[in-house]
Amino acid sequence: MGNLIEKVSQRKISRRTFLKASAAGTATLALSGCSTSLTTVGTATDVGEKEGKWVSATCWHNCGGRCVNKAYVIDGIIVRQKTDDTRPDTPDVPQQRGCLRGRSQKFQAQGADRLKYPMIRKNWETGGGKKELRGKDEWVRISWDEALDILASETKRIKETYGNASILAPAPSIEIQNLLTAYGGFVPSWGTVSFGSWYLTPALIGFSDNCIDVKALNDRFDMRKTELVVAFGMNPAWSSMGNPTYHFLQMKKAGVKFIFIDPIYHDSISVLDGEWIPIRPATDMALLLAMSYTLITEDDPVNNPLIDWDFLHRCTVGFDADHMPKDAETDENFKDYVLGKYDNTPKTPEWASEICGIDPNTIRYLARAIGMQNKVSILAGWASGRAQNSDNLPQMFMAIGAMTGHIGKSGHMTGVCCWNYAANSGPPLVNSGGNGEPYLVSPLKEALCEAEMWTAILDKKYKPNKIINSIFGYPAGWKDTVKGLDLKTLVPEEDINIQMIWHTAEASLQTRDGMNKGIEAHRTVEFVVSQSHFLTTNSKYADLVLPVTTLWERAGDIAWGTNRDALIVSCQVIEPMYEAKDDQWIAEEVAKRLDIDPSEIVNSDRKQQFFNKLAGSTVVTEDGQSFEPLVEIKEADISEWGVQGQPQKGRIPLKKLLEDGVYQVERYKGDNYGFIAYEDFRKDPEKYLANTVSGKMEIYCQTLADIVNNFGYTKIAPYPKYIPPVQGYEATFKDWENRVEGDYPYQLITPHYLRRSHSIFDNIPQLKESCPNPVFLAAKDAEEKGVKDGDTVLVSSEFGQILRNACVTERLVPGVVALPHGAWCDIDEKTGIDHGGADNILSGNIPTGQGISGWNTCNVNFEKWTGTPLIPDHEKPQRIIF
Ligand code: SF4
């Protein structure tokens, strides 16, 4: 292995060369930061004389891109990368091209800062030792045997002392989930994560089946038939690089006009030449209510038809008093709320303007623009739902889509457009098979909401939930889940005593709300273990860290998640780096030490699992009516792989698929794979019932109110109603009525950023140099505070403080501060100030409604930093321990 390390370090790949090669991805994306200018598209580095080979490698990260990646390997070292070149690139059948992040994966897999050996904290001892030193202690290298013995004995000791419900494994890897379940159970975490209120609400009101609903919008070819897109909180050019923006560009070329409603003039608006309507964060509900008011008061079915009464009456319930669902428990309805019947406050554009900051005439203009006679797509990103008290917001989008009839017709759409199905919706045309492995579910009733997880550890109390274990992630089955449950009675708080935290494939401490509280919680429990590639935030605050292999060091896999057209395959690229081990091996070794038969938790090795997935993959038939096996497998393949399996016929030979790294369905205008969301429902709602109590889309939904209110955090109404967030525009004032400014008068938003996929890639020096991760400040606000571009700024909230260098811009709504999501924290232990700029240092642990993590509802203040200026992130030393 030492030989490999030497070979990697001798390779002449300069950071500058990388920047040139990666610049194509960033040259036009002008808002990445203010201090780096990238304009050159260069060639890949010189790889010398030796012959190597291209290996299909994929990008395994959760940005939503789902891209092809290839690695050129010489002598077991990756020396260059490329992306999809398996076919000519056309607008209808585009290559699945990766971004600068995916193309820098060789720096990730072969990084000098990879965790090389198992390590224990110097001052650790059984029971924790000096627990307050977590995050600042020295590390001591230990052997794998020592590490596994410590892990097994601490798991056993803690279980025997405090019970299984003292072991927290937030969103664990399957192997560790199975292990801990076989050992009697553990406490998982649950949360609305990226989806916000789009997690649970849509499935309950008949707006989609699941939070990841690939069938919520029309096919990408049909999207080109729309005339106007009105987009809320969507910036695919940053959050889902890869093909989504390219698909939007095809819409633009077809003549589609774009209006973006967003606090920031982002690069998607710029690329698509969109009209920008600036809005204050988390005030979409007020805007949409006022648009509804305009539609209701200006509609004239003969002279000015704005509302599609036919769709509204046939396909929905709850709009007005004459169309209420049978199970409604109040006399209230949406229309009368909008007209102000219940609170003497008509939701006029003037009313909304005070909240959302948009001029009343612009609100009226927007309402008229989406009227029923126009071909409109009303699209939203999940960002709109990452706000406290936003549980009714998806219902509001559904209501306005139903009012204007932009549901179930060609060229008309309403719904979520983001992540890996952004601008490419419809049932998948190619699917991976399963890996054949068991999936065991913890038998314990305890589970912690991520928006109160750290508080629960510190206070030893948590809010139990009647439905959470079975409904989250699978909300389509909500009817069975709630059958027979008393949703009117709240469950009281219960005791919980977490004494062990086991981190695996997640980044909970970094990416869940309230990081300062999270660190305190980590310094409280008796044992923390973390499996990771680098000294991530999870690992930094652990007692024991275990180095694990990346996907490129394993037998191969199929990229997870959905890319409607393409199945993307990764082969093993390099041998495991240093002493890194597979998570599966770790689970099996710990199982043996806990007297658990490993076969209870794992069926087969990674190669067999990869083979099972390939053998079970299916592709749509040409008529679009059914599926057939994708991969042709011969007897010789099975013996070469040394796996169990049967020969089969398929669309593409196994070797060719592995060589290409991708199978992509040929698409063309008029093919058999077109899709119009809700088309059947619109045509015959009596036959194709929505998955609701009434069988219709529920603008009044008693189930939604009952389920969300039973969580016991905050109360919502059964219909779309404006409820100010705990932290939001109103809360920036200490006296809202008289508009007296409070201590935290700015609203923080935390957009996804080019440098990272969530928190992944934040340690790559080349990406740090190309994307400096500033805090974006509105020019007017910066001027008032005497802050200039490049100045170091202290951003404070009620929950913590961070330092960042300022990027002063006219592209941001005054009153809003934008801090990119996912930077690794780097806390100065003397002051408690984070020099890394982690967004969750500023957020609190404040659950509302369905347990939403309200990342876009956090109030802050900022000032020019008078201490030592922050050095650029790429000049800081890497976290190299050994
Ligand atoms: S980070 Fe996302 S967009 Fe970039 S290569 Fe990976 S999957 Fe594609």
Side-chain angles (χ1 to χ4, degrees):
M1 184 54 66
N3 195 22
L4 173 61
I5 300 164
E6 268 169 42
K7 282 197 281 185
V8 170
S9 61
Q10 282 163 9
R11 242 332 125 191
K12 289 178 184 159
I13 305 169
S14 75
R15 189 182 305 164
R16 183 56 56 194
T17 310
F18 162 82
L19 285 172
K20 284 183 181 177
S22 304
T26 50
T28 58
L29 303 180
L31 197 58
S32 63
C34 295
S35 61
T36 304
S37 168
L38 296 173
T39 51
T40 315
V41 180
T43 54
T45 184
D46 172 18
V47 293
E49 302 295 313
K50 270 194 160 180
E51 276 291 305
K53 64 170 183 174
W54 285 106
V55 183
S56 296
T58 198
C59 179
W60 66 80
H61 301 298
N62 184 24
C63 79
R66 306 292 176 265
C67 308
V68 171
N69 218 331
K70 302 231 171 153
Y72 193 69
V73 182
I74 300 176
D75 279 350
I77 305 164
I78 310 158
V79 295
R80 65 154 71 151
Q81 279 183 248
K82 65 177 180 180
T83 186
D84 192 1
D85 60 356
T86 51
R87 60 169 71 240
D89 188 54
T90 67
D92 292 352
V93 193
Q95 294 171 344
Q96 304 297 324
R97 291 191 198 167
C99 73
L100 75 168
R101 299 176 300 214
R103 295 186 205 197
S104 67
Q105 272 186 244
K106 62 179 179 292
F107 303 117
Q108 191 183 31
Q110 297 178 161
D113 56 346
R114 281 288 296 269
L115 287 178
K116 300 175 181 66
Y117 317 106
M119 303 186 301
I120 190 88
R121 199 164 59 75
K122 188 175 175 187
N123 284 284
W124 174 82
E125 48 192 63
T126 300
K130 292 180 180 165
K131 297 189 279 190
E132 70 281 6
L133 289 183
R134 288 181 185 137
K136 24 187 179 172
D137 213 345
E138 286 176 50
W139 293 103
V140 179
R141 179 181 170 181
I142 54 175
S143 71
W144 267 107
D145 269 340
E146 287 172 290
L148 293 165
D149 287 347
I150 291 170
L151 177 52
S153 65
E154 280 300 274
T155 308
K156 189 162 187 280
R157 182 186 67 77
I158 288 169
K159 170 183 163 148
E160 285 172 359
T161 312
Y162 305 104
N164 284 80
S166 65
I167 302 171
L168 172 70
S173 67
I174 299 303
E175 301 84 10
I176 301 304
Q177 171 166 322
N178 288 351
L179 168 70
L180 288 173
T181 301
Y183 197 50
F186 67 101
V187 179
S189 65
W190 62 269
T192 59
V193 290
S194 302
F195 313 104
S197 53
W198 291 98
Y199 204 167
L200 196 50
T201 300
L204 303 179
I205 60 176
F207 198 28
S208 68
D209 289 341
N210 284 304
C211 48
I212 301 173
D213 191 355
V214 294
K215 294 181 287 181
L217 295 175
N218 301 358
D219 173 49
R220 65 183 159 93
F221 284 81
D222 190 77
M223 289 185 92
R224 299 175 196 171
K225 294 181 185 164
T226 202
E227 290 166 352
L228 171 68
V229 167
V230 181
F232 292 74
M234 273 174 49
N235 179 12
W238 272 22
S239 54
S240 301
M241 286 190 271
N243 277 339
T245 308
Y246 190 62
H247 294 320
F248 281 118
L249 274 169
Q250 306 320 314
M251 296 168 70
K252 182 78 195 164
K253 276 194 214 159
V256 178
K257 177 186 167 163
F258 287 83
I259 297 177
F260 285 87
I261 296 163
D262 209 291
I264 192 164
Y265 181 89
H266 50 64
D267 290 331
S268 299
I269 306 178
S270 167
V271 164
L272 296 167
D273 192 22
E275 178 182 348
W276 179 38
I277 297 184
I279 186 171
R280 292 193 183 106
T283 61
D284 312 63
M285 177 63 100
L287 167 64
L288 288 161
L289 285 168
M291 288 167 67
S292 304
Y293 179 90
T294 305
L295 290 166
I296 292 167
T297 53
E298 292 191 3
D299 173 74
D300 177 337
V302 178
N303 299 313
N304 186 27
L306 294 171
I307 295 181
D308 185 342
W309 293 103
D310 169 62
F311 183 81
L312 205 49
H313 288 160
R314 282 191 308 112
C315 300
T316 74
V317 290
F319 178 74
D320 58 26
D322 296 332
H323 300 87
M324 292 299 285
K326 289 196 182 77
D327 64 342
E329 292 176 10
T330 77
D331 293 335
E332 298 185 359
N333 64 75
F334 175 70
K335 183 180 165 197
D336 286 337
Y337 168 70
V338 170
L339 295 177
K341 191 170 167 190
Y342 311 125
D343 54 5
N344 286 326
T345 306
K347 310 304 173 295
T348 62
E350 285 71 19
W351 166 82
S353 180
E354 273 290 299
I355 299 165
C356 68
I358 300 174
D359 177 78
N361 284 331
T362 306
I363 297 175
R364 280 185 271 270
Y365 150 75
L366 270 174
R368 291 165 194 152
I370 65 164
M372 68 166 284
Q373 289 195 307
N374 302 324
K375 270 193 173 177
V376 178
S377 297
I378 303 168
L379 307 180
W382 288 325
S384 59
R386 290 196 286 267
Q388 295 150 359
N389 294 335
S390 67
D391 303 81
N392 293 115
L393 187 67
Q395 194 182 25
M396 180 67 250
F397 275 102
M398 182 184 79
I400 205 144
M403 286 169 75
T404 48
H406 302 312
I407 294 175
K409 284 194 293 188
S410 172
H412 303 251
M413 280 159 278
T414 303
V416 165
C417 183
C418 67
W419 205 40
N420 51 8
Y421 56 98
N424 196 12
S425 289
L429 303 174
V430 56
N431 294 294
S432 166
N435 66 2
E437 289 300 296
Y439 183 90
L440 308 182
V441 177
S442 173
L444 304 189
K445 67 175 174 43
E446 289 87 352
L448 292 182
C449 171
E450 287 163 355
E452 66 165 352
M453 182 159 63
W454 310 133
T455 312
I457 293 174
L458 294 169
D459 295 352
K460 298 192 184 300
K461 296 270 182 208
Y462 84 110
K463 211 167 245 313
N465 194 293
K466 289 179 184 167
I467 60 168
I468 212 65
N469 277 333
S470 47
I471 203 167
F472 259 68
Y474 311 98
W478 69 265
K479 281 186 180 168
D480 289 338
T481 305
V482 302
K483 201 178 276 173
L485 284 184
D486 169 15
L487 291 171
K488 305 293 179 193
T489 311
L490 293 184
V491 183
E493 268 192 343
E494 283 187 12
D495 294 337
I496 192 142
N497 181 17
I498 299 297
Q499 289 299 342
M500 174 171 174
I501 302 173
W502 191 327
H503 287 300
T504 56
E506 32 66 45
S508 297
L509 184 54
Q510 178 68 62
T511 59
R512 298 304 186 258
D513 333 39
M515 195 187 293
N516 271 329
K517 225 175 207 185
I519 290 170
E520 203 186 330
H522 278 66
R523 286 177 172 158
T524 302
V525 301
E526 292 196 357
F527 189 63
V528 184
V529 57
S530 176
Q531 302 169 207
S532 62
H533 303 143
F534 310 98
L535 197 68
T536 56
T537 304
N538 277 354
S539 291
K540 189 173 172 183
Y541 291 91
D543 295 310
L544 175 68
V545 293
L546 306 176
V548 292
T549 47
T550 66
L551 184 67
W552 286 11
E553 295 150 78
R554 298 182 181 178
D557 211 336
I558 293 176
W560 69 281
T562 311
N563 177 327
R564 184 171 192 231
D565 305 349
L567 184 121
I568 297 169
V569 173
S570 174
C571 299
Q572 180 161 359
V573 181
I574 51 174
E575 291 299 313
M577 294 288 287
Y578 313 102
E579 288 189 10
K581 298 284 187 190
D582 191 310
D583 299 274
Q584 181 169 316
W585 179 85
I586 295 170
E588 290 175 309
E589 288 300 314
V590 176
K592 286 181 212 160
R593 286 162 170 82
L594 295 176
D595 297 324
I596 296 168
D597 179 351
S599 68
E600 274 186 59
I601 59 172
V602 174
N603 278 346
S604 57
D605 64 18
R606 293 286 186 197
K607 200 169 197 184
Q608 180 71 53
Q609 291 169 26
F610 183 29
F611 180 85
N612 293 345
K613 283 187 172 183
L614 290 162
S617 296
T618 55
V619 60
V620 70
T621 52
E622 214 166 310
D623 61 6
Q625 297 302 309
S626 57
F627 284 82
E628 62 190 23
L630 173 69
V631 188
E632 182 178 295
I633 298 172
K634 297 206 156 68
E635 198 66 63
D637 296 320
I638 296 169
S639 20
E640 192 184 314
W641 279 51
V643 292
Q644 303 284 319
Q646 297 295 325
Q648 65 181 40
K649 292 204 179 313
R651 190 79 66 85
I652 179 170
L654 177 62
K655 282 204 168 72
K656 168 109 177 94
L657 176 62
L658 298 181
E659 200 177 293
D660 288 353
V662 58
Y663 178 84
Q664 188 164 341
V665 175
E666 291 285 339
R667 297 291 320 268
Y668 56 89
K669 200 172 158 195
D671 64 20
N672 290 317
Y673 312 136
F675 177 75
I676 308 292
Y678 309 105
E679 189 173 30
D680 291 340
F681 172 71
R682 181 182 186 107
K683 280 186 188 147
D684 191 350
E686 304 306 323
K687 183 174 173 192
Y688 299 99
L689 298 176
N691 187 26
T692 57
V693 172
S694 65
K696 303 283 178 72
M697 289 181 165
E698 296 197 346
I699 297 172
Y700 180 113
C701 182
Q702 193 63 52
T703 306
L704 172 68
D706 288 350
I707 288 181
V708 170
N709 291 337
N710 193 259
F711 281 51
Y713 296 127
T714 50
K715 287 251 176 204
I716 66 160
Y719 56 84
K721 189 172 183 177
Y722 180 66
I723 305 171
V726 180
Q727 297 217 331
Y729 178 58
E730 291 87 339
T732 62
F733 298 92
K734 60 181 162 216
D735 177 354
W736 167 247
E737 291 306 316
N738 298 303
R739 303 296 191 271
V740 182
E741 201 173 80
D743 294 337
Y744 301 102
Y746 298 90
Q747 289 184 270
L748 182 78
I749 56 169
T750 56
H752 289 211
Y753 188 53
L754 299 162
R755 170 161 130 188
R756 294 178 291 270
S757 171
H758 293 286
S759 63
I760 300 289
F761 291 115
D762 199 44
N763 57 319
I764 308 298
Q766 290 84 351
L767 290 173
K768 286 185 182 184
E769 189 174 351
S770 61
C771 306
N773 199 63
V775 61
F776 296 97
L777 302 174
K780 178 174 173 288
D781 297 336
E783 192 182 351
E784 281 171 11
K785 295 263 193 176
V787 173
K788 296 206 171 45
D789 197 61
D791 283 350
T792 300
V793 169
L794 177 72
V795 185
S796 307
S797 78
E798 183 183 329
F799 309 102
Q801 294 185 305
I802 62 115
L803 290 181
R804 281 289 86 192
N805 290 333
C807 177
V808 177
T809 176
E810 297 282 358
R811 291 173 159 214
L812 195 60
V813 175
V816 176
V817 169
L819 179 67
H821 160 56
W824 292 10
C825 74
D826 176 18
I827 294 175
D828 176 345
E829 291 292 343
K830 286 196 201 90
T831 61
I833 296 171
D834 171 32
H835 291 206
D839 46 345
N840 279 311
I841 288 287
L842 298 173
S843 67
N845 227 204
I846 308 175
T848 63
Q850 59 196 265
I852 294 168
S853 286
W855 289 297
N856 288 324
T857 39
C858 173
N859 294 345
V860 298
N861 206 341
F862 72 91
E863 63 197 79
K864 187 169 170 177
W865 175 244
T866 51
T868 310
L870 208 57
I871 58 166
D873 292 345
H874 69 272
E875 289 178 13
K876 291 183 186 169
Q878 287 181 277
R879 291 183 187 172
I880 299 172
I881 313 299
F882 295 107

